[in-house]
Amino acid sequence: MLKHRVITAVLLLPLVGFILFGLGLSGFAATLLLVGYVMAWEWARLSSVEAPVYRSFYALFVALSSMAIWYFAPAIEFWPAPFWFLQWHWDTTLVAYWLTLMVWLLAILLILGSPKTNRFWSSSPWLRLALGLIIINGFWISATALRSVSIAEDMFRGAYFVLLMLLIIWGADVGGYVFGKWLGRHKLAPSVSPGKTWEGFFGGVVVSLTVASIGAYLLDLPIANYGLFIGLMSLLVVVSVFGDLFVSLLKRQVNLKDTSNLLPGHGGVLDRLDSTLAVAPFFLLIARTLEWIK
C-alpha cells in the first residue's frame, strides 16, 4: 500500500506542475472543473447515491453550477481585486465564497460534537449533496482566485501561491504521518479517525510552519507580525485536519474506506484533496489578512 501510494504521488507531481505552470488561468480553471466533476461523483457516493447514472447527473450539476458562477462573476482576470471577498453585495462569486466558509465552520462545530452530532450527517442524503455542491464550488472559486493573483504583472505569481498552499497542506499531512507513527500516543478524534494523534497534529504544525516560512521568504511575502503569522499558519493546519476528518466522518456514515479507487494507494480524488477543499477558502482569506494579496 505504501509503495503504491509513493508511486502514485511521484507520477502526479509532474501533472500538478503542468496544471499550475503549463496552463493559463482559463486552462487552470477549466481543469479544476474536471477535478470538481470527479470529486462530486465521489461525493454522491458518500451521500448514499448508489446508481452511477445519478452520481453522474449530480457531478454534472456541480460542474455546471461552477461554470454558471464563472459566467456571472466579474472578469476572472481581475480576481482577486483588493478586498473583493470582503465586500458584501449580490455577486455569485462572493455569495458562493462566503457560503463555503460558513459551511466549513458548521462542519467544524459538528465534528467537535461527534459522535452526538453524527445524526445530523446521516439524516438526509439531500443535505450531504447540498453541502458537497457548496464546498466543491467554494474550492473552485478559491483556487482560481489564488491562481489569478497579480496575473497582469506576473502570470506565474498566482501559481506559486497555489503551490505554497499545497505544500503547507502536504507538510501537515507528512508531518502528521511521520510524527504520529513515531511519537503517537494520544488519539485526536477516535470516534471519527482513530489513526490521528495529537503528537501527529503538532508535528504537522511544525512542518507546515517551516514550509510556510521558507515559502514566504522565497516569494518575498511580508511577515510584519510573526505572532500573527504563526497563529494563522497553525489555523490552516487545524482546518486541514478538519477537512480530512469531515470526509472520514462521511465515509464512516456509509461504511466506505475510500471514496473511489481511482488513485492507487490514495483511494479517490476526494481522499487526496479533502484537506485542500477545506483549506483553500481559508488560505485565500488569510493571505489577504497578511497582505500577501494586494
Side-chain angles (χ1 to χ4, degrees), residues 134-197:
I134 295 169
I135 287 172
I136 294 171
N137 279 335
F139 162 73
W140 180 83
I141 290 170
S142 303
T144 304
L146 280 174
R147 179 62 183 84
S148 69
V149 169
S150 302
I151 196 167
E153 294 80 27
D154 182 351
M155 66 179 299
F156 296 120
R157 180 72 169 174
Y160 285 113
F161 269 95
V162 178
L163 180 60
L164 176 59
M165 177 187 72
L166 292 176
L167 290 175
I168 291 172
I169 295 169
W170 296 341
D173 190 24
V174 172
Y177 178 82
V178 172
F179 282 87
K181 288 288 186 181
W182 180 30
L183 301 172
R185 297 291 185 275
H186 303 88
K187 298 297 183 182
L188 179 63
S191 64
V192 180
S193 184
K196 293 190 179 300
T197 64

Side-chain angles (χ1 to χ4, degrees), residues 92-278:
T92 54
T93 307
L94 293 175
V95 171
Y97 175 78
W98 283 110
L99 191 57
T100 303
L101 286 178
M102 288 188 287
V103 165
W104 276 115
L105 290 175
L106 172 64
I108 289 171
L109 289 175
L110 291 172
I111 290 171
L112 290 173
S114 180
K116 294 181 180 179
T117 57
N118 287 1
R119 186 182 303 176
F120 177 85
W121 306 114
S122 60
S123 60
S124 170
W126 291 105
L127 174 62
R128 282 173 278 170
L129 290 172
L131 293 177
L133 172 67
I134 295 169
I135 287 172
I136 294 171
N137 279 335
F139 162 73
W140 180 83
I141 290 170
S142 303
T144 304
L146 280 174
R147 179 62 183 84
S148 69
V149 169
S150 302
I151 196 167
E153 294 80 27
D154 182 351
M155 66 179 299
F156 296 120
R157 180 72 169 174
Y160 285 113
F161 269 95
V162 178
L163 180 60
L164 176 59
M165 177 187 72
L166 292 176
L167 290 175
I168 291 172
I169 295 169
W170 296 341
D173 190 24
V174 172
Y177 178 82
V178 172
F179 282 87
K181 288 288 186 181
W182 180 30
L183 301 172
R185 297 291 185 275
H186 303 88
K187 298 297 183 182
L188 179 63
S191 64
V192 180
S193 184
K196 293 190 179 300
T197 64
W198 280 105
E199 291 82 0
F201 167 75
F202 287 115
V205 170
V206 171
V207 175
S208 289
L209 283 174
T210 303
V211 170
S213 300
I214 295 173
Y217 172 77
L218 293 176
L219 292 177
D220 196 25
L221 299 174
I223 303 179
N225 186 323
Y226 279 91
L228 179 63
F229 171 77
I230 291 172
L232 291 178
M233 292 301 104
S234 299
L235 176 62
L236 285 180
V237 178
V238 173
V239 172
S240 172
V241 171
F242 274 110
D244 190 347
L245 290 175
F246 181 53
V247 173
S248 295
L249 179 61
L250 294 181
K251 287 191 291 188
R252 279 181 170 272
Q253 294 291 327
V254 291
N255 296 316
L256 288 176
K257 183 180 183 295
D258 298 313
T259 56
S260 75
N261 58 1
L262 187 62
L263 302 175
H266 293 270
V269 174
L270 196 54
D271 290 307
R272 187 65 270 159
L273 294 179
D274 47 9
S275 295
T276 311
L277 282 175

Side-chain angles (χ1 to χ4, degrees), residues 33-34 36-37 40 58-68 133 137:
L33 285 178
L34 295 177
Y37 177 92
Y58 173 72
L60 182 61
F61 177 75
V62 172
L64 290 176
S65 65
S66 294
M67 292 180 67
L133 172 67
N137 279 335

